[in-house]
Amino acid sequence: MGKYFLFVLLVILVVPVAYTQHNTTMVDSITTNSAGGKVEIYQDPGITNLLGKINTSDAPLKNKKVTNRKGFRIQAYSGSQQTVAKTEVYEREKRFRGRFPEYATYVTYNSPFWKLRVGDFADQYDAEEALRAIKNAFPQYSNELYIVSDNVRISE
């Protein structure tokens, strides 16, 4: 048990240092540290955004306080046909994330409804601006999109 704990502690301490010394992302590390072989990674650019970059500066990461409070989200989908609704809600979530990665997405299931909500908006004006942008990007869903009051997560 002690050897396992020591190994895990070593990995936790050494791996981030190794990444920050030479590379900016995990993908860069895989492609540049191959020993004599060639590694090609084909991926959607959104995956790189999800992985993010490693902080190579000496400045510490800022701790943002996240509060839960009343606010607004955009209802982007609601369906109750079991298999169809589940597939559709995750497809739409993928589309929304690809087009608007800056907005959080929330998939919920409350029998019999699957729902997709987008964003964490402190005030209705911001939600309305986002709603207009989303309707322009997805005109095929414009009749289904509307603003709802919800508990949201706001970074301060």
Side-chain angles (χ1 to χ4, degrees), residues 18-155:
Y19 278 121
T20 58
Q21 287 178 350
H22 303 291
N23 303 299
T24 57
T25 66
M26 293 185 322
V27 173
D28 293 336
S29 175
I30 293 169
T31 58
T32 59
N33 291 337
S34 60
K38 182 177 181 182
V39 176
E40 290 185 37
I41 298 177
Y42 299 96
Q43 67 181 13
D44 187 279
I47 293 174
T48 303
N49 291 338
L50 290 174
L51 290 174
K53 299 217 181 287
I54 295 173
N55 182 19
T56 57
S57 71
D58 292 333
L61 295 174
K62 293 181 181 177
N63 292 329
K64 290 186 177 181
K65 183 179 177 186
V66 176
T67 58
N68 292 322
R69 65 184 193 88
K70 284 290 186 187
F72 302 92
R73 289 195 173 127
I74 297 168
Q75 179 91 20
Y77 178 76
S78 180
S80 62
Q81 294 177 337
Q82 262 318 7
T83 55
V84 174
K86 183 177 180 181
T87 303
E88 183 65 20
V89 76
Y90 285 111
E91 279 296 316
R92 286 198 192 186
E93 180 189 33
K94 188 168 81 172
R95 289 183 205 130
F96 280 96
R97 279 185 159 178
R99 181 67 174 86
F100 296 98
E102 66 273 21
Y103 298 137
T105 57
Y106 301 91
V107 172
T108 58
Y109 176 70
N110 190 0
S111 185
F113 294 100
W114 285 92
K115 293 182 181 180
L116 171 63
R117 291 188 175 175
V118 177
D120 289 302
F121 304 103
D123 58 64
Q124 191 163 359
Y125 178 77
D126 292 338
E128 288 171 357
E129 282 187 343
L131 179 63
R132 277 192 291 279
I134 291 171
K135 281 185 173 184
N136 286 335
F138 299 103
Q140 68 272 31
Y141 305 141
S142 64
N143 292 338
E144 300 175 59
L145 297 166
Y146 57 93
I147 296 171
V148 294
S149 178
D150 205 345
N151 289 321
V152 298
R153 301 181 58 177
I154 304 293
S155 297

